[in-house]
Amino acid sequence: INAEYMGFVQSANPMSASAHAPPRKRKRPSSSPRFLIAVHIGAGSHAPAKNDQYCGVMRRACAAARKALLTPGGCSLDAVLAAIRVLEASECTNAGFGSNLTEDGRVELDASIMDGSDLAFGAVAAAPGLLSGIAVAHHLLVASRSPLPLGRVRPLCLAGPGAREYAVESGLADAVDPRGGESLVSPKALATWRNYRDRVSANASRTRLQSQTSEVALPASTQVAPPP
């Protein structure tokens, strides 16, 4: 699957009529809302055997977004938040639970969200200790619309541990991992990390051994100048 995505439209697509077909009666316009939901879960090469797994995750994300849109008062931001939270909870998407680990074996989250109507924006980067990066980014976006006194500007992007501190101070309990990020480490991701850690360590050991056993062969008649 390259750049895998899935679309969902809440209305029937009109069928094109043949030039020789009899004219059809025009249907009354539907009162149901019309919208498109597209979910993208990554680019690159993936095993075809996982197609059903990827498509299943995308279907669930689209369904969650649809439910958010059809909820009274729901908007596109709610749909984006709902869809991405499904992706964060899935081990196969490299977002949230099951993500690739950092060099020291932790999960650090990146997430961003923007509202095209007013360009409001929120993001987190390399944030440890969270359960949902998109929930914190969404909160930053919403908060950015409320001005602070004395001309101060609210943060739009928080990186590192500051993102978790902000989430705690903002009362985003469902976005903060009480285990400090360990809840997002899946057995598969941990096994992969240990495998690469051991390979990197072994390669570094071989490099040190080679540097310690290097020799230079010179003819017997060679004269080496003493250091200055």
Side-chain angles (χ1 to χ4, degrees):
I1 305 174
N2 276 322
E4 183 63 42
Y5 68 93
M6 178 179 180
F8 177 88
V9 181
Q10 177 59 21
S11 64
N13 291 326
M15 298 180 62
S16 58
S18 168
H20 303 287
R24 296 182 180 182
K25 293 182 179 180
R26 180 173 297 180
K27 295 181 179 180
R28 295 180 180 179
S30 174
S31 59
S32 61
R34 296 172 61 90
F35 51 81
L36 169 70
I37 300 167
V39 173
H40 181 288
I41 64 169
S45 299
H46 303 285
K50 293 185 177 181
N51 284 2
D52 291 344
Q53 181 182 8
Y54 290 129
C55 290
V57 172
M58 289 186 290
R59 290 190 186 96
R60 293 195 298 272
C62 286
R66 177 181 181 273
K67 181 179 180 180
L69 277 174
L70 296 180
T71 299
C75 64
S76 58
L77 280 180
D78 299 328
V80 171
L81 175 62
I84 296 181
R85 296 218 55 166
V86 171
L87 303 184
E88 288 180 329
S90 173
E91 185 177 2
C92 73
T93 59
N94 195 26
F97 176 69
S99 295
N100 292 332
L101 305 184
T102 62
E103 191 172 273
D104 58 355
R106 299 189 303 167
V107 171
E108 293 182 349
L109 301 181
D110 302 327
S112 63
I113 186 171
M114 174 179 280
D115 189 337
S117 64
D118 61 358
L119 302 185
F121 175 79
V124 298
L130 295 177
L131 290 174
S132 174
I134 195 62
V136 182
H138 178 266
H139 191 275
L140 284 166
L141 182 155
V142 174
S144 71
R145 292 170 170 156
S146 301
L148 290 172
L150 304 177
R152 293 179 297 160
V153 178
R154 293 186 182 273
L156 298 181
C157 179
L158 295 176
R164 185 179 190 278
E165 294 174 7
Y166 174 87
V168 172
E169 293 172 359
S170 301
L172 304 179
D174 64 336
V176 178
D177 185 2
R179 299 176 59 197
E182 292 185 11
S183 299
L184 297 184
V185 179
S186 70
K188 180 180 178 182
L190 184 59
T192 300
W193 174 80
R194 286 172 173 166
N195 175 48
Y196 280 101
R197 178 199 59 185
D198 294 344
R199 290 170 61 183
V200 169
S201 177
N203 182 70
S205 298
R206 286 195 297 270
T207 302
R208 286 195 300 269
L209 180 62
Q210 291 170 357
S211 65
Q212 292 170 0
T213 59
S214 297
E215 296 180 1
V216 178
L218 297 174
S221 59
T222 302
Q223 295 182 355
V224 179

